[in-house]
């Protein structure tokens, strides 16, 4: 299904009222309900709210870690992206570097395993534990992934 980021401009559905949709309604209430298509209130993807589903939806919290700046590192890491799960486990991505930089994976993983921000973007600075002058600044984007 892809990434689903919590909407910032949330609004309630307009009532349907007594019209053609109510004629097929199983509740026989013949009044307003929330079975109106989301498309009719401005979303690009049409789906019906509150409809039962037989499929089990799996929801994962993931973090996109995008390197924005580096200091005292001789290779260009900017704009490279890694994807981690909520426990700090690397899910996707690999840094393109001329040599191994495992310290980057470990400091990010340690940070994410203890982080509690729920959604949005946070800018975080990481230092190499062995060489304090090596620094990376990353945007950490937290979001919900539904399957």
């Amino acid at each position: 299904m892809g990434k689903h980021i919590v909407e910032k401009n949330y609004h309630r559905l307009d009532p349907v009222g007594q019209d053609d949709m109510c004629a097929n309604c199983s509740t026989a209430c013949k009044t307003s309900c929330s079975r109106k298509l989301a498309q009719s209130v401005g979303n690009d993807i049409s789906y019906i709210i509150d409809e039962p589903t037989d499929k089990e939806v799996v929801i994962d919290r993931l973090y996109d870690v995008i390197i924005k700046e580096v200091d005292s590192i001789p290779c260009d890491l900017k704009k490279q992206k890694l994807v981690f799960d909520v426990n700090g486990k690397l899910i996707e991505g690999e840094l393109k570097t001329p040599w191994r930089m495992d310290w980057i994976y470990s400091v990010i993983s340690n940070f994410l395993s203890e982080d509690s921000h729920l959604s949005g973007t946070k800018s975080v600075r990481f230092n190499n534990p062995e060489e304090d002058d090596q620094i990376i600044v990353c945007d950490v984007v937290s979001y919900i992934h539904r399957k």
Side-chain angles (χ1 to χ4, degrees), residues 20-129:
D20 296 336
M21 285 186 98
C22 291
N24 297 329
C25 182
S26 61
T27 61
C29 64
K30 303 300 180 201
T31 60
S32 302
C33 66
S34 64
R35 295 177 186 269
K36 188 172 187 178
L37 290 176
Q39 184 177 27
S40 64
V41 290
N43 289 339
D44 295 329
I45 302 169
S46 61
Y47 58 95
I48 297 179
I49 305 294
D50 294 339
E51 286 295 314
T53 180
D54 295 333
K55 296 180 187 176
E56 183 178 335
V57 177
V58 178
I59 299 174
D60 293 324
R61 175 158 303 284
L62 297 178
Y63 296 94
D64 285 351
V65 179
I66 304 158
I67 299 175
K68 291 294 180 188
E69 295 180 34
V70 297
D71 189 16
S72 300
I73 299 175
C75 58
D76 190 20
L77 297 172
K78 290 181 184 177
K79 297 183 182 178
Q80 293 194 43
K81 179 175 114 174
L82 304 170
V83 180
F84 290 84
D85 69 5
V86 73
N87 298 317
K89 179 182 173 193
L90 182 65
I91 302 293
E92 179 182 312
E94 185 176 333
L95 295 175
K96 295 172 185 82
T97 59
W99 58 87
R100 295 180 55 101
M101 293 188 153
D102 293 332
W103 69 270
I104 294 175
Y105 298 107
S106 70
V107 294
I108 293 172
S109 179
N110 290 342
F111 170 79
L112 293 176
S113 65
E114 298 172 6
D115 187 47
S116 62
H117 87 280
L118 295 178
S119 63
T121 303
K122 182 167 31 174
S123 186
V124 185
R125 176 185 166 129
F126 299 103
N127 292 49
N128 184 343

Side-chain angles (χ1 to χ4, degrees), residues 7 9-15 33-34 36 38 40-42 49:
E7 292 182 21
N9 298 326
Y10 175 78
H11 55 84
R12 293 186 179 274
L13 294 175
D14 297 328
C33 66
S34 64
K36 188 172 187 178
S40 64
V41 290
I49 305 294

